[in-house]
Amino acid sequence: MKILFYDTKNYDKDSFQDTLKANNFPGITIEYTKSDLDPRTAALADGFDAVCAFVSSDIGTQTMEILHEKGIRLLLMRCAGFNNVDLETAAKYGIRVMRVPGYSPEAVAEHAMALALASNRRLYKAYNKVRENDFSLSGLMGFNFYEKTAGIIGTGKIGAAMCRICRGFGMKVIAYDVYQNESLKEFVEYVSLEQLLSDSDVISLHCPLMDSTYHMINIDTIKQMKDGVILVNTSRGALVKTDDLIEGIRMHKFAGVGLDVYEEETNNVFEDRSDEILEHSTTARLLSFPNVMITSHQGFFTREALGAIAATTLQNALDFVAGKESPNDVKIG
Ligand code: NAD
């Protein structure tokens, strides 16, 4: 099986090559390209059996059609999310889509807590102040998480890990999900979304991006939140309507906002740093607020998670070759 690996970073190549060497994945070879997968680059897949792509790839109808023309039968997503994949077109052409549903939920949950803590205690500001010899505490006051309420939206693998972390901080943990996670019932109280919004001191988003969750954080839901709440999003940017978030920040609704994901992520806003783009960028506007901390989709980025991503992706390829069904198959609906 020949796999074309798109959007290769050095750390991807290292972890996949190390995993290939350390384990037995017979017959699998990988070629790496720095190009990301989109309609302009899909034709590079000519002569390969499978492509490996990521959250940033544009795998809409046009890309899928070109992949089909080039004979691709397997799309290996080396991530959990697949909202950027046109599953209908994949199904129409018999292209199997597989993903890595849970490589290290703790990696993302720990980063979510890091964002909550850093924005609560203004660690980014403190870091810069001290480096400039300013040891004053002005602008750095936060609040204790101990005995406060954490509201977790989506209690799958990452949300559950976040619930456990919040419990470890001595927080009361409430959650909203369309399905309840039995393993959390001992210490998590499931409530309505409305109650979660109005009762939480820290809100963390851990549900996938779907039609039903698109812009779930908007001016109406923001208004229902407590004043001085901390909002963290490590899930997908479009769960939050950015213009409304900016309005909420202007209304002084938030003590802090920590974002690992943002709506403009896929438009390469920060790779193409032209002044004009930055001027109209909502992400750049968000960065102008002192209580907002943004990281660059790094929640998954730990040694453990990268190793697990490589091992599962390669096992997915082997399952495909063996014609085995897999819980990692992405199906419509
Ligand atoms: P998961 O499938 O295990 O859990 C998602 C949960 O969301 C499920 O319990 C589901 O019932 C729930 N959900 C679905 N619709 C909902 C709704 N309308 N309201 C509330 N809850 C709803 O997924 P996971 O592995 O925990 O990942 C969660 C998300 O984290 C992924 O979809 C992905 O977008 C994101 N993610 C981010 C990074 C990162 O690096 N920042 C890495 C991996 C995953």
Side-chain angles (χ1 to χ4, degrees), residues 103 156-158 177 206 208 210 213 234-236 260 297 300:
Y103 36 90
K157 288 170 286 299
I158 297 171
D177 196 315
H206 299 288
M210 302 180 296
T213 57
T234 55
S235 213
R236 283 291 177 272
D260 190 41
H297 207 140
F300 72 100

Side-chain angles (χ1 to χ4, degrees), residues 89-103:
T89 309
K92 178 170 135 194
Y93 293 130
I95 297 176
R96 187 164 166 186
V97 181
M98 300 180 85
R99 67 176 182 132
V100 185
Y103 36 90

Side-chain angles (χ1 to χ4, degrees), residues 295-308:
T295 53
S296 181
H297 207 140
Q298 68 174 74
F300 72 100
F301 199 48
T302 65
R303 266 191 300 279
E304 292 79 0
L306 286 182

Side-chain angles (χ1 to χ4, degrees), residues 105 108-113 151-163 166 176-177 203-209 216 232-236 239:
V108 184
E110 287 174 16
H111 190 66
M113 183 48 101
I152 310 301
I153 301 183
T155 52
K157 288 170 286 299
I158 297 171
M162 186 62 172
C163 288
C166 292
Y176 168 73
D177 196 315
I203 297 177
S204 194
L205 308 181
H206 299 288
C207 56
L209 177 61
M216 73 188 302
V232 174
N233 185 11
T234 55
S235 213
R236 283 291 177 272
L239 295 178

Side-chain angles (χ1 to χ4, degrees), residues 185-212:
K185 287 251 171 100
E186 219 174 89
F187 66 95
V188 172
E189 184 192 345
Y190 280 93
V191 296
S192 65
L193 181 59
E194 292 70 30
Q195 191 181 337
L196 183 142
L197 295 170
S198 64
D199 289 6
S200 301
D201 301 289
V202 176
I203 297 177
S204 194
L205 308 181
H206 299 288
C207 56
L209 177 61
M210 302 180 296
D211 288 347
S212 59

Side-chain angles (χ1 to χ4, degrees), residues 1-305:
M1 141 124 350
K2 279 178 69 187
I3 302 170
L4 179 60
F5 195 106
Y6 279 94
D7 191 25
T8 309
K9 306 287 187 291
N10 289 343
Y11 51 80
D12 292 318
K13 191 170 177 183
D14 290 347
S15 69
F16 272 77
Q17 288 308 113
D18 287 351
T19 309
L20 268 179
K21 258 187 236 149
N23 299 281
N24 188 25
F25 292 106
I28 292 190
T29 56
I30 307 180
E31 266 186 44
Y32 298 89
T33 172
K34 288 200 160 124
S35 306
D36 204 350
L37 176 56
D38 63 30
R40 294 164 307 172
T41 59
L44 295 174
D46 200 13
F48 290 84
D49 307 297
V51 293
C52 183
F54 194 53
V55 281
S56 51
S57 310
D58 168 359
I59 322 169
T61 312
Q62 218 186 328
T63 302
M64 209 52 99
E65 274 167 357
I66 300 167
L67 291 178
H68 166 66
E69 278 163 26
K70 299 298 171 193
I72 292 300
R73 294 174 300 134
L74 173 65
L75 167 61
L76 292 162
M77 298 300 292
R78 55 180 190 279
C79 52
F82 49 86
N83 53 282
N84 52 337
V85 181
D86 179 349
L87 293 178
E88 269 88 16
T89 309
K92 178 170 135 194
Y93 293 130
I95 297 176
R96 187 164 166 186
V97 181
M98 300 180 85
R99 67 176 182 132
V100 185
Y103 36 90
S104 177
E106 286 75 19
V108 184
E110 287 174 16
H111 190 66
M113 183 48 101
L115 283 172
L117 290 170
S119 57
N120 177 35
R121 306 301 285 265
R122 306 277 194 273
L123 292 187
Y124 41 91
K125 192 170 176 179
Y127 174 82
N128 286 325
K129 274 166 72 102
V130 170
R131 283 172 79 91
E132 284 168 15
N133 231 0
D134 175 358
F135 287 78
S136 76
L137 300 181
S138 64
L140 301 182
M141 195 192 291
F143 64 86
N144 284 9
F145 281 9
Y146 180 62
E147 291 191 335
K148 296 293 189 312
T149 300
I152 310 301
I153 301 183
T155 52
K157 288 170 286 299
I158 297 171
M162 186 62 172
C163 288
R164 291 190 292 269
I165 290 172
C166 292
R167 180 179 58 158
F169 273 71
M171 303 182 84
K172 175 181 177 189
V173 187
I174 60 175
Y176 168 73
D177 196 315
V178 286
Y179 300 105
Q180 301 195 356
N181 185 335
E182 290 297 324
S183 72
L184 300 173
K185 287 251 171 100
E186 219 174 89
F187 66 95
V188 172
E189 184 192 345
Y190 280 93
V191 296
S192 65
L193 181 59
E194 292 70 30
Q195 191 181 337
L196 183 142
L197 295 170
S198 64
D199 289 6
S200 301
D201 301 289
V202 176
I203 297 177
S204 194
L205 308 181
H206 299 288
C207 56
L209 177 61
M210 302 180 296
D211 288 347
S212 59
T213 57
Y214 178 75
H215 283 177
M216 73 188 302
I217 303 300
N218 53 53
I219 199 61
D220 295 329
T221 46
I222 288 170
K223 280 182 179 161
Q224 293 174 54
M225 296 177 192
K226 267 189 192 177
D227 288 343
V229 66
I230 288 180
L231 175 70
V232 174
N233 185 11
T234 55
S235 213
R236 283 291 177 272
L239 295 178
V240 177
K241 188 171 179 192
T242 312
D243 285 329
D244 288 9
L245 178 62
I246 290 170
E247 196 180 334
I249 295 168
R250 290 222 170 95
M251 283 158 41
H252 302 291
K253 180 55 92 176
F254 300 98
V257 174
L259 305 174
D260 190 41
V261 290
Y262 29 94
E263 286 194 279
E264 290 173 325
E265 239 174 300
T266 48
N267 299 344
N268 294 329
V269 169
F270 295 102
E271 274 171 32
D272 180 357
R273 288 161 194 268
S274 77
D275 287 346
E276 199 196 340
I277 285 181
L278 284 178
E279 202 179 310
H280 296 106
S281 147
T282 50
T283 316
R285 275 165 67 207
L286 276 174
L287 280 168
S288 68
F289 295 103
N291 55 345
V292 175
M293 175 158 188
I294 300 187
T295 53
S296 181
H297 207 140
Q298 68 174 74
F300 72 100
F301 199 48
T302 65
R303 266 191 300 279
E304 292 79 0

